[in-house]
Amino acid sequence: MQILTGFVRSCAVAFVALLVPAVWAGAATVCCWWRGSPWSWFAPLLWAAVLTLLLTRPVGRLFRALVRRFSGTDIPAGYREPGPVTKLSTGYWWNGHSYAKTRERAQEEQRWRTWLTDPAVRRDLFFVAVIPFAGLVAAVPGAALVLAVVLRGWWLTGIAVAAAAAPFAWRVAEPAAVRFLRPSPAMRLAERVDELTAQRADTTVAQAAEIRRIERDLHDGAQARLVALGLSLATAERLMKTDPDKAAAVLREARTGAASSLSELRELVRGISPPLLHERGLIDAVRAFAMDSPLETTVHTELRLSGDTGPVGGSALGRRRLRLDLPIESALYFGVAELLTNAVKHAHAGRATIAISRDDTNLVVELQDDGRGGASVAPGGGLDGLRRRLAVFDGTLEVTSPAGGPTRARMTVPCESL
């Protein structure tokens, strides 16, 4: 079975790696056999060059897919994405470099400009020039088997060579792909700059939305109650001399309204920045939120993420400060709050479990509920917003939610200080 699997993989790697050389071999064959004008060789070579340009990116993608499937190594592509186009008041579309009358034309020009200036294109061209050498190695089992069929006197030797080389010939694909297909440092830096720019834009939009929410809550809640409180006090002042009993009743209503306003303001402050999170740290704040949740929620952890010092994981190996940066704590806390809220509102769960731990370099928060599942990180949705908020700190969000449940969400944030 290992020989058969290796033979199939070797043939797949050889086919992809030798695809562009096969195009040039076909063009050379046409040039040799096409007896026409002295320039008759030009057309096949021109078509071969055009096909090479068209095949560079598909060959790179196919090779990455084969390496990912065969060895589990994921190699990022590093291609630049075309920027957005904007419609101006004049009716023209601006793509960052030129104007166009239609959106489609502006997007087409933007795609071509991005493709021509993308360093990944030059990387792919170099890759299709050097990868045939790896393809020749991967083609050894198939070539040996073909020779065993053609040269009948050597069939036993050919089969033996194919069987011996099949489990190993395809393995040349991974080092070749890692060496020549991974993004260069300049490409990774440009990709990181684009990612940080998008994250900054997301943060700006999120902050503006949060400010509008706070203004709306203040205007519709506490502000309206305070205005009513002022009117009640003015009414009580007028009634104090003429009808003291009614004035006392109005004051009692005003006191109730003041208590309600204070409660709303506390809830609003808790929604912006929970005091317990500032005072006691992430774990105590998550435990308090879990206690207030309608779900039966259990919190498991061996860490001490507070402002105090204490043994790490219950061990007496040392005592050190384990308080996270407040922005990271806030992102994780509100992430837990959103996941629990979704479990109640959308998944109709009854139980949930929260586990807070760490691996080599990351703080890990895992949440699982027994709801009906079906959650996904859809663009523009709440989970996508949570993913973007964690990405600001180089964090990640992974959600596994098959239909029927359970739903598992895993948030990780790099934290070397733990």
Side-chain angles (χ1 to χ4, degrees):
M1 181 60 68
Q2 185 179 5
I3 294 175
L4 179 60
T5 302
F7 182 81
V8 173
R9 292 181 176 182
S10 298
C11 291
V13 171
F15 174 79
V16 176
L18 298 176
L19 191 60
V20 172
V23 171
W24 285 96
T29 302
V30 172
C31 291
C32 293
W33 290 96
W34 188 5
R35 302 298 182 181
S37 65
W39 294 95
S40 60
W41 56 269
F42 181 74
L45 295 183
L46 177 62
W47 277 108
V50 172
L51 286 175
T52 299
L53 290 175
L54 294 177
L55 287 173
T56 50
R57 187 164 293 189
V59 167
R61 288 175 175 170
L62 284 173
F63 216 82
R64 288 190 194 89
L66 290 177
V67 171
R68 186 186 309 113
R69 183 177 180 85
F70 295 161
S71 61
T73 302
D74 190 11
I75 303 174
Y79 295 119
R80 289 182 179 176
E81 295 295 333
V85 297
T86 306
K87 187 175 183 179
L88 305 178
S89 58
T90 58
Y92 283 82
W93 291 83
W94 170 253
N95 59 16
H97 302 279
S98 60
Y99 299 94
K101 292 185 178 180
T102 63
R103 180 175 183 173
E104 291 74 15
R105 180 64 178 174
Q107 290 176 335
E108 182 181 359
E109 292 179 358
Q110 182 76 313
R111 284 194 296 268
W112 276 106
R113 183 179 294 273
T114 303
W115 186 82
L116 290 173
T117 59
D118 193 351
V121 175
R122 296 188 292 273
R123 177 202 61 193
D124 289 350
L125 285 173
F126 183 74
F127 175 75
V128 298
V130 300
I131 200 59
F133 297 100
L136 293 176
V137 176
V140 168
L145 193 61
V146 170
L147 290 177
V149 174
V150 175
L151 304 176
R152 297 182 179 180
W154 296 86
W155 64 272
L156 188 59
T157 302
I159 293 176
V161 171
F168 308 101
W170 64 271
R171 299 182 186 274
V172 72
E174 181 182 4
V178 171
R179 174 63 180 85
F180 297 108
L181 274 182
R182 63 184 178 183
S184 66
M187 294 164 62
R188 288 196 295 268
L189 179 61
E191 184 179 358
R192 182 59 175 163
V193 169
D194 294 339
E195 181 181 354
L196 292 176
T197 302
Q199 291 174 0
R200 183 180 62 182
D202 289 340
T203 303
T204 303
V205 172
Q207 288 177 344
E210 185 66 14
I211 290 174
R212 289 194 299 270
R213 183 188 69 82
I214 295 171
E215 291 176 347
R216 183 173 61 252
D217 291 346
L218 286 173
H219 182 272
D220 297 340
Q223 179 179 338
R225 289 185 179 275
L226 290 175
V227 171
L229 177 62
L231 294 175
S232 298
L233 291 175
T235 302
E237 184 179 5
R238 290 195 302 269
L239 294 174
M240 189 64 69
K241 295 180 181 180
T242 60
D243 193 349
D245 294 336
K246 190 172 184 180
V250 172
L251 287 175
R252 285 193 296 270
E253 293 178 0
R255 184 176 61 184
T256 302
S260 299
S261 299
L262 181 60
S263 177
E264 287 186 5
L265 287 174
R266 285 174 176 170
E267 290 294 330
L268 182 61
V269 171
R270 189 177 294 111
I272 298 172
S273 183
L276 188 60
L277 183 64
H278 288 266
E279 297 169 3
R280 302 291 300 276
L282 176 65
I283 292 178
D284 288 341
V286 169
R287 283 175 174 154
F289 187 88
M291 291 176 63
D292 294 336
S293 174
L295 291 178
E296 184 180 346
T297 306
T298 306
V299 180
H300 299 288
T301 184
E302 294 183 355
L303 298 177
R304 290 173 56 93
L305 302 181
S306 66
D308 303 328
T309 58
V312 181
S315 171
L317 294 178
R319 302 175 70 86
R320 56 176 173 169
R321 181 180 175 87
L322 292 179
R323 183 66 187 264
L324 298 174
D325 293 336
L326 186 58
I328 297 178
E329 287 187 336
S330 297
L332 292 173
Y333 173 82
F334 286 110
V336 170
E338 182 165 351
L339 291 172
L340 280 179
T341 303
N342 289 343
V344 175
K345 184 177 180 181
H346 302 293
H348 304 291
R351 296 174 58 89
T353 303
I354 302 173
I356 303 176
S357 60
R358 62 152 299 175
D359 54 20
D360 293 337
T361 58
N362 298 320
L363 178 68
V364 181
V365 180
E366 296 179 291
L367 189 146
Q368 178 174 329
D369 64 68
D370 61 353
R372 60 187 182 184
S376 62
V377 187
L383 293 179
D384 185 53
L386 174 58
R387 179 190 59 78
R388 294 198 303 269
R389 288 197 298 272
L390 293 175
V392 174
F393 308 102
D394 289 332
T396 61
L397 170 67
E398 300 175 3
V399 177
T400 304
S401 183
T407 296
R408 297 182 179 89
R410 175 185 172 93
M411 296 183 290
T412 62
V413 174
C415 192
E416 297 283 354
S417 61
L418 290 180

